[in-house]
Amino acid sequence: MTSPTIVAGVDFGTQSVRVSIVDSRDGPLGAGVVEYPVVRHATDPDYAVQSHASHMAALTDAMRLALAEAEVDGSRVRALALDTTGSTVVPVGEGLVPLDDYYLWCDHRAKDEAARITEVAHEEGIAAIERCGGVYSSEWGFAKLLHWLRHNPARRHELVTALEHCDMVAATLCGITDPAQLPRSVCAMGHKWLWHADLGGFPPDAFFCKVDPLLAGIGAKLMGRYHTSDHIAGHLAPEWAARLGLSPGIPLPVGAFDAHWDAMGAGVAEGDVVNVVGTATCIMAIARETACVPGVCGVVRGSIHPAYTGIEAGLSATGDLFEAVAKRSGTTVRALAQGLDAYRAGQTGLLRMTWDNGDRTVLVNPRLGGVTLGWSLQSTARDELFAAIEGTAFHTRIILERMLEHGVPVRRVIHAGGIPQKNEVLNQVYANVLGKPVLVPERPITSLGSALFAFLAAGTFPTLEAAQEALCPAYREVHPDPAAQRTYERLFPMYRALYFALGDPRSEAVSIGRVLPELRAIAAEVRARG
């Protein structure tokens, strides 16, 4: 590295965009955060959309706030990089103008379309279906695009192509209007759109036609430049430079999903698993080589780190689940969490299956719902919140065990995302359930991953590892409590049995007659020890 460089890292989350101004020597200088709405329908819990215009307006405001807080003139910013949620999908027409609102990642209306894609992929022996865990999800690109085509017959003829949010924003900022010149993120297209370079790109058109004739020729429509994020998507257009207060012509690398770059900002290396815990949880790992992992959200070369294979899994609701528990009780998570630090493992007598937004991994079943076992007349909303934290930890252990079974190394667990920075109870419960220390970055890392790729685009650091070494924060360690760990070793086998018995429609119902008595017995023992 030569003289210090300043870049902007952008993270589009579910409810807000964060812009960080970062110095290659001094680290984060300032940040700006601006919210935007998630549009839902009270009559359809699967509906979740957002507006391209509101995203771009929020980005403009957040950039101005970040520059002001950092006390940096925008002309000093040498590169801009951005990540987004995904699969967040927008159909576009001529000039790459959106034809509709984004299908947000948590929009699950495309359940039938996803099931059809899974069915035909296995009938036709499509290799790409095994790369995404064997089941195509309603959260992913082709399912959402097919849902749009089926439900908008009057506008089908206008469709030029469809984009992931990260590619849409990059194209907009760079002034790209030609579909052939579109930057296409290998991260997004590999994990959510069945695209793999070593498999020849997309599955054949005959597959898509068998899924639904509306998808005929869709592979050709998804044209563009497919790259990992160590490539340049384009350069900032004068119009957007003026709006953002930056210099025109600065480089933007090809984008990616927020959790993938959060893993980089958290310092991920081979052997690490990064739990990005926020509205949902994304579980990220990298490996030089790994096999397909049934039930995960993708095994994609170059998706997290360009030189490694990225493995993605996760939970469809974490922070959203905690918020729902609190809202039903007429309070907030902050208020309801008061006193949880005094709770002990198993004391509530509750076991919580955290499927309130379906199951992302390993069952990949959006038709599930939340289940709480063990209620008594004395159970409280606070008890349920603690049980929900335990349930998300148990679910995470299910996922990590599946990854280990298929050759993904899991030597360290790192907690990224917003919740671990402000919820020490969650960090401790996870350490106790997983039976190993949890590493928590000493400062928030949201949008730091974007900054790392911006520095790479600016030529500031020779490698991502060099950028990580210079800018990623140190960790504090949260160690398992031996007594709590022993209790969770009793609870987890019941959770695992229920997870597969209740969650897999193909399962033979197993006897759960021992579960409720055992929950009460454990709770009584914990209370007696206290």
Side-chain angles (χ1 to χ4, degrees):
M1 187 179 74
T2 56
S3 60
T5 305
I6 294 175
V7 301
V10 180
D11 176 272
F12 282 92
T14 302
Q15 296 174 312
S16 64
V17 60
R18 178 185 179 89
V19 176
S20 293
I21 306 301
V22 184
D23 184 288
S24 58
R25 181 182 60 196
D26 298 328
L29 302 178
V33 178
V34 175
E35 295 183 349
Y36 35 66
V38 178
V39 180
R40 292 187 178 273
H41 279 179
T43 59
D44 186 355
D46 291 327
Y47 186 97
V49 302
Q50 286 181 329
S51 157
H52 175 68
S54 68
H55 276 161
M56 300 310 293
L59 171 62
T60 300
D61 293 342
M63 182 66 73
R64 298 285 185 170
L65 290 172
L67 291 170
E69 183 176 280
E71 297 182 342
V72 167
D73 188 282
S75 64
R76 297 177 60 195
V77 174
R78 297 301 181 211
L80 167 66
L82 62 99
D83 61 47
T84 66
T85 63
S87 191
T88 294
V89 177
V90 57
V92 299
E94 291 293 335
L96 304 185
V97 174
L99 297 175
D100 214 329
D101 284 341
Y102 294 131
Y103 278 65
L104 191 58
W105 68 268
C106 52
D107 187 304
H108 290 161
R109 284 176 289 166
K111 295 188 292 292
D112 293 340
E113 288 78 10
R116 176 62 178 164
I117 291 169
T118 300
E119 176 187 17
V120 176
H122 287 290
E123 288 175 357
E124 298 297 307
I126 301 299
I129 195 67
E130 304 305 333
R131 300 281 184 93
C132 61
V135 183
Y136 200 80
S137 170
S138 62
E139 293 186 1
W140 299 348
F142 279 121
K144 290 175 174 174
L145 176 58
L146 180 56
H147 184 275
W148 186 85
L149 289 168
R150 285 176 170 178
H151 290 81
N152 292 275
R155 305 202 70 184
R156 288 175 194 154
H157 68 283
E158 298 179 58
L159 180 74
V160 171
T161 188
L163 286 88
E164 279 287 343
H165 185 196
C166 60
D167 297 333
M168 181 74 203
V169 177
T172 300
L173 293 178
C174 295
I176 296 171
T177 58
D178 179 357
Q181 297 303 312
L182 277 169
R184 297 276 189 181
S185 166
V186 163
C187 172
M189 305 308 288
H191 282 284
K192 315 299 184 183
W193 292 81
L194 301 174
W195 186 93
H196 296 275
D198 62 326
L199 297 179
F202 292 112
D205 195 53
F207 159 73
F208 291 113
C209 290
K210 186 173 181 180
V211 170
D212 191 307
L214 290 174
L215 291 177
I218 194 62
K221 286 188 175 183
L222 297 176
M223 63 189 78
R225 300 174 288 119
Y226 285 68
H227 289 304
T228 50
S229 294
D230 53 346
H231 290 76
I232 300 300
H235 295 82
L236 188 62
E239 174 193 355
W240 280 99
R243 292 190 191 185
L244 297 174
L246 305 178
S247 296
I250 62 172
L252 280 74
V254 174
F257 291 147
D258 50 359
H260 296 67
W261 279 9
D262 277 350
M264 292 300 298
V268 69
E270 189 169 23
D272 295 340
V273 166
V274 179
N275 296 328
V276 184
V277 187
T279 304
T281 293
C282 288
I283 298 173
M284 319 303 302
I286 61 174
R288 288 286 182 186
E289 299 293 338
T290 189
C292 293
V293 183
V296 304
C297 306
V299 176
V300 178
R301 185 72 180 172
S303 65
I304 299 173
H305 187 299
Y308 290 80
T309 295
I311 303 98
E312 178 193 354
L315 283 65
S316 289
T318 308
D320 264 358
L321 170 60
F322 305 155
E323 293 282 353
V325 171
K327 184 177 180 180
R328 284 196 294 269
S329 304
T331 186
T332 65
V333 174
R334 179 186 293 274
L336 195 59
Q338 294 298 315
L340 285 188
D341 55 341
Y343 274 56
R344 289 159 292 156
Q347 82 168 54
T348 66
L350 303 178
L351 195 61
R352 185 68 156 80
M353 314 305 294
T354 54
W355 290 325
D356 299 55
N357 200 26
D359 182 285
R360 179 183 292 169
T361 311
V362 299
L363 299 171
V364 198
N365 187 347
R367 301 179 189 276
L368 299 177
V371 180
T372 305
L373 295 94
W375 288 106
S376 74
L377 294 176
Q378 288 75 41
S379 298
T380 67
R382 185 166 285 114
D383 293 342
E384 188 187 9
L385 179 59
F386 189 73
I389 293 171
E390 291 177 319
T392 62
F394 287 139
H395 193 167
T396 299
R397 180 168 168 178
I398 292 275
I399 294 168
L400 298 192
E401 288 187 353
R402 175 62 62 90
M403 292 166 67
L404 278 165
E405 288 168 5
H406 292 272
V408 178
V410 182
R411 290 188 283 273
R412 298 195 307 174
V413 175
I414 302 171
H415 269 192
I419 290 178
Q421 292 290 323
K422 56 191 176 186
N423 192 325
E424 196 62 19
V425 170
L426 179 138
N427 296 324
Q428 187 64 62
V429 168
Y430 276 56
N432 296 338
V433 168
L434 300 178
K436 60 177 59 186
V438 166
L439 308 181
V440 183
E442 290 183 344
R443 67 172 186 270
I445 55 87
T446 301
S447 71
L448 178 58
S450 297
L452 298 180
F453 282 94
F455 282 123
L456 199 67
T460 307
F461 294 99
T463 65
L464 284 166
E465 286 79 5
Q468 285 179 311
E469 183 177 356
L471 294 164
C472 290
Y475 308 108
R476 57 183 179 82
E477 294 191 12
V478 180
H479 291 272
D481 173 77
Q485 189 177 345
R486 287 192 296 271
T487 299
Y488 286 135
E489 287 302 318
R490 292 176 61 185
L491 287 167
F492 180 68
M494 292 189 291
Y495 181 93
R496 181 171 51 201
L498 289 166
Y499 178 87
F500 290 104
L502 296 175
D504 187 344
R506 300 165 299 179
S507 70
E508 296 289 335
V510 300
S511 172
I512 61 172
R514 70 182 184 88
V515 172
L516 294 178
E518 185 71 2
L519 288 175
R520 292 206 169 198
I522 290 172
E525 291 173 18
V526 172
R527 289 194 297 270
R529 287 200 302 269

